[in-house]
Amino acid sequence: MDMVNKSTVSEFVLLGLSDSWELQMFFFVVFSLFYVATIVGNSLIVITVIADSHLHSPMYFLLTNLSIIDMSLASFATPKMITDYLTGQKTISFDGCITQIFFLHLFTGTEIILLMAMSFDRYIAICKPLRYASIISPQVCIALVLASWVVGVMHSMSQVIFALTLPFCGPNDVDSFFCDLPVVFQLACVDTYVLGLFMISTSGIIALSCFILLFNSYVIVLVTIKTHSSGGSSKALSTCTAHFIVVFMFFGPCIFIYMWPQSSFLVDKILSVFYTIFTPIMNPIIYTLRNQEVKTAMRKLKNRFLNSNKATPLHYF
């Protein structure tokens, strides 16, 4: 019997993080602050890199694109969750649920490839500095960014096509604050064991493999820094440490959620909050607090803005 044509669910109910009104108000305040800080912080990085010619380099070009992806990742579900706390409306249409799955995997898939590109950039800069300019050219940077988006689109399309083939004919309560395959596929009217294997093979193993490659590349870079200690080694070590912190915070939750798709919903909720709300804000915090060039450029931008305001005459009517 064709189960695909038996889908009767037209909407899902997002159960969110808690049924407690007090906790919902607490989450509303905290997540609203985090969301605003994420947008402002990452926007500031983008504006700073564009405005300061000293930051027109491959590393900061990739960092700018990472900030754009982080803002997008923070925006695919968080605004709805925040408004749901106020309105009490927790439903999402079937199409809206599929759309969330598409954008989640688009942005996470793109960020995975972009983080690998940033690792490759640091590897060439530290391990092959004399060939850096010839290898990491502007054309190569653009190609790396385009490739990350292409891979992200391909990955998200595979997840959406898979989700659209699932029959939903019973429960429609999604035990999370957004739609993602690990929680949605458990509502399907089919054996979830095979679906779990698909999840592990298409998302879990890919994320784990990419993390292992990134980890090895940063180990090589750190060993090279230690072996060839010089005046610039402290700066290189600081940059690579910041990169690896971002990588670990992003990949850790993703690997756990997709390698163990039928794990505890509570653990999945915590990790989902971590990589969709907390991780996007860590990018501006880590890169601004640990990067002297970015901090200097931001101070220049602030002074330029203040001086332009002082120079602007006030007209009274």
Side-chain angles (χ1 to χ4, degrees), residues 155 158-159 162 181 197-207:
H155 171 68
S158 69
Q159 304 300 299
F162 171 70
L181 281 181
L197 292 179
F198 173 83
M199 196 90 52
I200 293 173
S201 62
T202 59
S203 296
I205 292 179
I206 292 175

Side-chain angles (χ1 to χ4, degrees), residues 2 7 39 49 69 88 110 124 225 252 269 271 275 285:
D2 186 5
S7 293
I39 300 301
V49 172
I69 294 174
T110 302
I124 298 298
I225 293 173
K269 284 184 180 181
L271 294 178
Y275 81 87
I285 292 176

Side-chain angles (χ1 to χ4, degrees), residues 15-32 81-82 84-86 90 177 266 269-270 273 277-278:
L15 299 181
L17 300 176
S18 173
D19 293 329
S20 168
W21 185 85
E22 291 80 7
L23 280 178
Q24 289 182 16
M25 289 300 99
F26 171 77
F27 291 144
F28 168 76
V29 174
V30 172
F31 293 155
S32 296
M81 176 184 64
I82 292 172
D84 285 350
Y85 284 138
L86 287 181
K90 294 187 176 183
F177 63 94
L266 177 60
K269 284 184 180 181
I270 295 173
V273 169
I277 297 177
F278 293 158

